[in-house]
Amino acid sequence: MYWVSYAKKRFILLTLVFFITVLFTPAKVHAEAENDIQPMLMWKSMQVIEDTHTQPVSDTAVQTNNPVKIVNLSQPSELDAIKEQIRQRRQQDDALLASIEAKQKEQEILAKKKADEEALKEKLRQQIIAEMSALQKKQKDEENQKWLTIIEDLKKQNVEQQKQQQEHFLTLIDNFKKQDTEQKQLEILRQQEQQQAFLEAIEDLRPRSKVISLDDPDYAKKTIHQYIADNTQDAKEAISREADVTFLYSPAALYKIYTRIDFLTDIQLQPGEEIQHISGGDTLRWQVSYAQSGSGINKTWHVYIKPNQPGAETNIIILTDKHSYQLHVVATSWHNPIVTWTYPAEQQATFFRAEQRQQQLAANSIPTKVMAPEKLNFDYKISGRKYDWNPTTVFDDGAQTFIKMPASMATSEAPILVVKDSRGKVAIVNYRVRNGYYMVDRLFNQAELRVGRDVVKIKRKAKYVENNNAA
């Protein structure tokens, strides 16, 4: 067991050498090389145990199959080699640290250079933004100044146009007054003539009544035939226009109409009237039907007559809510395609009523004081859908209201004017039409122009107090 005891002594000696080396080695070298020395010492220690020994041992030594190699680690060369390795490793570490520090400094220089470039870019960007903002502000100020100049010019033009328009309206008002004054005398002179003409027309259109005595049958028959002949209007003698035959309507007249087999005769009644009853004397040899065309105020009833047999003759009576028509129809070789009526008494009465209304309006017109242009009130609001008859301008002079109508109204139906009071009640108002203007002889807060269901509203923005004398 000598070689085992010897190996233990050598291991203990090597361990003491290691601790002595560590104690006398500076702390920095120890810290840097600790990781390298310890594995080497452990390797040397283990090598002592693992190596085999080739020299012979004493007789008392125990023979074994695993020979041990004894290494002498107490030699100076071994220690110097370890120190040299430590020194080389420290030099490598110092070189590595120097390289790392150099790279860090280089990175710091690059980072600083990059930061300086970024700062320069930011400075240039801020400078460009400031210059652009200044340029935009300058352009905006110039544009605002330009628009202010344009607005001032437009204001001056509007003031001049309003002044010219007001002067034009005053001239129109003066012309209206002169026309009204001149027409008043003419209308008063024409009034009696129109009344006389109307009475004469009514007298001529009255049915000729006769008292017939039945004591003499032959005389009565002759008289009746003569009365029928006197009051019969023959289509041959009626007013003809192309295919249209027009009779003059009279309540007691008898209208002779010619028809033809396989052809319809169209009897057109007055627009707006409604059929109440139709009767015929011979319903076997005659076909009678009716239908309507148009709608609203243009609705017109048509009565269609057709004979079934040549030479047939009968009478047909048509009753409406306005008229009665006595027809004497005859089947011949020719026919009247269209039959209509004209109503002179009604037309004369309508004309007479319109003339009377104009005269009454002229008599009740309120004289308008001459006012300065700035006293005219144009503060009206026009609302509603767009039509051909929408007013273009509304103004008043403190006593009368003037509504300017468009030129396109000449090709469309003229609207009627109604006024609404404070409670929303609708009332008809007196007005005249002169040179495209509705002249209303009063002021109003709200009014409406109507054509059927189409409505355009006119509202006075500055309200006035209505009095009991308002029409």
Side-chain angles (χ1 to χ4, degrees), residues 105-157:
K105 289 181 180 180
E106 184 179 356
Q107 291 177 355
E108 290 176 357
I109 292 171
L110 292 175
K112 184 177 180 181
K113 184 177 180 181
K114 186 175 181 181
D116 293 340
E117 291 177 354
E118 293 293 335
L120 181 60
K121 289 181 181 178
E122 180 65 21
K123 184 177 180 180
L124 292 174
R125 189 176 69 84
Q126 294 295 335
Q127 184 177 359
I128 292 172
I129 291 173
E131 292 177 356
M132 292 180 64
S133 299
L135 181 60
Q136 290 177 354
K137 183 178 180 182
K138 183 179 179 181
Q139 292 177 350
K140 187 175 181 180
D141 293 341
E142 292 176 354
E143 187 176 359
N144 290 338
Q145 186 64 32
K146 180 180 177 181
W147 282 111
L148 288 175
T149 304
I150 293 174
I151 291 172
E152 291 296 331
D153 294 340
L154 290 175
K155 285 182 179 178
K156 292 179 181 179
Q157 293 177 4

Side-chain angles (χ1 to χ4, degrees), residues 264-271 273-275 278 288-294 298-305 318 320 337-341:
L264 285 176
T265 296
D266 182 7
I267 310 296
Q268 298 182 5
L269 305 182
Q270 186 184 37
E273 65 179 337
E274 296 288 341
I275 294 178
I278 299 178
V288 179
S289 60
Y290 56 91
Q292 69 177 23
S293 65
N298 297 320
K299 183 175 70 174
T300 303
W301 281 100
H302 300 255
V303 179
Y304 304 106
I305 302 175
I318 303 174
T320 71
I338 301 174
V339 178
T340 60
W341 280 265

Side-chain angles (χ1 to χ4, degrees), residues 30-95:
H30 173 70
E32 293 176 352
E34 182 178 4
N35 294 330
D36 295 332
I37 295 172
Q38 187 173 359
M40 292 175 65
L41 293 176
M42 292 298 294
W43 178 80
K44 290 294 183 179
S45 300
M46 293 300 297
Q47 193 70 22
V48 173
I49 299 173
E50 293 177 357
D51 288 345
T52 58
H53 192 274
T54 56
Q55 296 179 1
V57 296
S58 61
D59 296 337
T60 59
V62 179
Q63 298 296 327
T64 177
N65 294 328
N66 294 323
V68 179
K69 182 180 180 181
I70 303 300
V71 180
N72 186 9
L73 296 178
S74 62
Q75 296 297 326
S77 58
E78 297 284 342
L79 183 59
D80 292 339
I82 293 173
K83 288 182 179 181
E84 181 63 23
Q85 292 178 1
I86 293 172
R87 186 182 62 81
Q88 292 177 358
R89 182 63 181 269
R90 185 172 63 181
Q91 289 178 354
Q92 292 177 359
D93 292 343
D94 290 341

Side-chain angles (χ1 to χ4, degrees), residues 161-172 373 376:
Q161 290 177 357
Q162 287 180 358
K163 187 176 180 180
Q164 293 176 359
Q165 188 179 19
Q166 290 173 351
E167 292 176 353
H168 174 68
F169 287 142
L170 285 176
T171 304
L172 288 176
L376 295 178

Side-chain angles (χ1 to χ4, degrees), residues 204-210 212 219-234 237 247-256 328:
D204 293 339
L205 293 173
R206 287 179 181 175
R208 300 179 179 87
S209 306
K210 291 185 178 181
I212 302 173
Y219 174 77
K221 183 177 180 181
K222 180 179 179 181
T223 303
I224 291 173
H225 281 293
Q226 184 64 36
Y227 176 77
I228 293 174
D230 293 341
N231 289 277
T232 298
Q233 298 184 29
D234 197 321
E237 301 173 355
F247 292 106
L248 297 176
Y249 177 78
S250 176
L254 185 64
Y255 308 100
K256 189 173 183 178
H328 179 198

